[in-house]
Amino acid sequence: MYTMNDELAKTLTNLDGSSKTSKGVYRSLYKRLMRLSGDKKLLDMSETNIIKLFDTDSIPPKSQEALANIAAMIRNNNDASHFKINKFKDTTIRKRINAYKMEKNKALKDTLPDKKELDNYLKSLFVEKDYVGYIINFLLLNYGVRNKDLNCIITGDSDVILKGHDTKHNYLYVTFRYVFYVRNDYKTYDTYGRKAIKIERRPFQTACKALLDGNYDIPLLKLKNDEPVSEDSVGKIVQRYTYNELGEGNYFKINIMAAKKDGNIKRIQELSKSRGTAIETILTEYDVDNQ
């Protein structure tokens, strides 16, 4: 029977900076490994035998990856070898995940709406003065950003530009003539660094100014009690604002589909740059026409 034994306790202690939700996920994954191992501790098993626990067709590839991650984390935080587990995850499991994504994208090809539908939806949001929804959809459609990138603050304070490199926040800096979209907190920041985009589209400026409404700053996304959202809930909130709740990932696939249909390679390169995703990754994970 599962108990919080020493190998897990030491790992969680070493991860004091992790959120309560993340630690809950780690406990859940560890509990699953304990069921698979018959409650045998990971430190008492070889890496080869640990891999056998989740190397099965009955466990989906993404779940295999999650189990491999927690197994490697446990062993790493307890000074035990984890090279084989990481190698298996980065080679075999990664291939399985990519194959799964390709099959899933293939099934999506005939069900995703045309980009024109999303463009019309964007226009309707502005007409209805749903400015939060408009800003979210505008950034998703024009720059292919991820959910995390949308967890940002709207402000008229120029310090976010002058000192933006010293913060981990994302900003929409509103001026009289344009909006500066600054990202310091997104998935591939360590690879691509701080990203800043100057947006001069009048409707977008109008939406940002209307939401700011003379305040010093406000969060774009917030809970019903007006509190800022946590990183764990951003995805669900963004999805609710998208057309038919398609979500950020499907929006990006539609963007790529539209660019390919128009033969617009430059647009794919622009999306790769603004999103912070290598073109090779885009063609593997988001190109539903290349399956």
Side-chain angles (χ1 to χ4, degrees), residues 33-230:
L33 281 174
M34 289 298 95
R35 287 199 300 267
L36 291 170
S37 72
D39 289 323
K40 189 172 183 179
K41 292 172 65 174
L42 300 182
L43 296 179
D44 293 335
M45 300 175 65
S46 68
E47 289 189 74
T48 299
N49 285 334
I50 291 173
I51 290 170
K52 288 178 181 179
L53 297 178
F54 48 78
D55 183 17
T56 168
D57 292 339
S58 63
I59 299 176
K62 286 296 290 183
S63 295
Q64 292 179 17
E65 181 182 48
L67 292 170
N69 281 334
I70 189 62
M73 187 185 297
I74 292 288
R75 290 180 66 87
N76 178 50
N77 280 277
N78 286 274
D79 301 318
S81 62
H82 49 94
F83 174 80
K84 289 182 180 179
I85 296 172
N86 281 332
K87 184 178 180 180
F88 183 79
K89 180 191 69 175
D90 294 338
T91 55
T92 303
I93 295 180
R94 178 48 49 187
K95 288 178 182 177
R96 290 172 182 171
I97 289 173
N98 288 338
Y100 174 80
K101 287 180 177 178
M102 290 177 73
E103 284 300 313
K104 187 177 179 181
N105 285 342
K106 185 177 180 180
L108 278 173
K109 183 177 179 180
D110 297 324
T111 61
L112 289 175
D114 189 273
K115 186 173 180 292
K116 289 181 180 178
E117 289 186 53
L118 303 189
D119 291 335
N120 289 333
Y121 177 63
L122 176 66
K123 293 175 184 177
S124 72
L125 290 170
F126 186 79
V127 171
E128 295 165 5
K129 297 186 178 181
D130 182 352
Y131 293 134
V132 173
Y134 177 81
I135 291 171
I136 289 171
N137 281 267
F138 181 94
L139 295 175
L140 289 174
L141 288 173
N142 284 278
Y143 305 111
V145 297
R146 300 178 181 85
N147 292 322
K148 187 177 183 181
D149 307 41
L150 297 167
N151 192 13
C152 57
I153 296 170
I154 305 174
T155 182
D157 179 15
S158 61
D159 278 353
V160 302
I161 301 301
L162 299 174
K163 303 176 181 178
H165 59 283
D166 293 327
T167 180
K168 274 293 183 182
H169 294 295
N170 300 323
Y171 291 96
L172 288 167
Y173 166 50
V174 183
T175 75
F176 179 73
R177 293 182 293 110
Y178 59 84
V179 177
F180 220 46
Y181 179 32
V182 182
R183 280 178 290 160
N184 298 296
D185 184 21
Y186 65 99
K187 184 178 180 180
T188 52
Y189 175 86
D190 290 341
T191 301
Y192 298 99
R194 178 175 180 259
K195 285 188 175 290
I197 301 170
K198 188 177 183 179
I199 303 173
E200 298 180 283
R201 296 277 289 277
R202 185 62 62 83
F204 188 80
Q205 296 174 49
T206 299
C208 290
K209 289 175 182 177
L211 288 178
L212 189 57
D213 193 27
N215 291 294
Y216 179 79
D217 61 37
I218 63 164
L220 173 64
L221 308 179
K222 54 187 177 182
L223 302 175
K224 291 181 179 179
N225 59 3
D226 287 339
E227 289 295 318
V229 302
S230 68

Side-chain angles (χ1 to χ4, degrees), residues 205-268:
Q205 296 174 49
T206 299
C208 290
K209 289 175 182 177
L211 288 178
L212 189 57
D213 193 27
N215 291 294
Y216 179 79
D217 61 37
I218 63 164
L220 173 64
L221 308 179
K222 54 187 177 182
L223 302 175
K224 291 181 179 179
N225 59 3
D226 287 339
E227 289 295 318
V229 302
S230 68
E231 183 178 327
D232 300 319
S233 58
V234 169
K236 291 180 181 178
I237 293 174
V238 170
Q239 184 173 10
R240 288 201 297 266
Y241 279 104
T242 56
Y243 180 66
N244 289 341
E245 297 195 3
L246 285 170
E248 167 262 311
N250 284 327
Y251 265 44
F252 195 69
K253 290 171 186 175
I254 293 169
N255 255 326
I256 298 303
M257 215 167 32
K260 286 193 67 179
K261 183 178 179 181
D262 295 338
N264 194 343
I265 303 302
K266 183 180 178 181
R267 173 62 175 155
I268 296 176

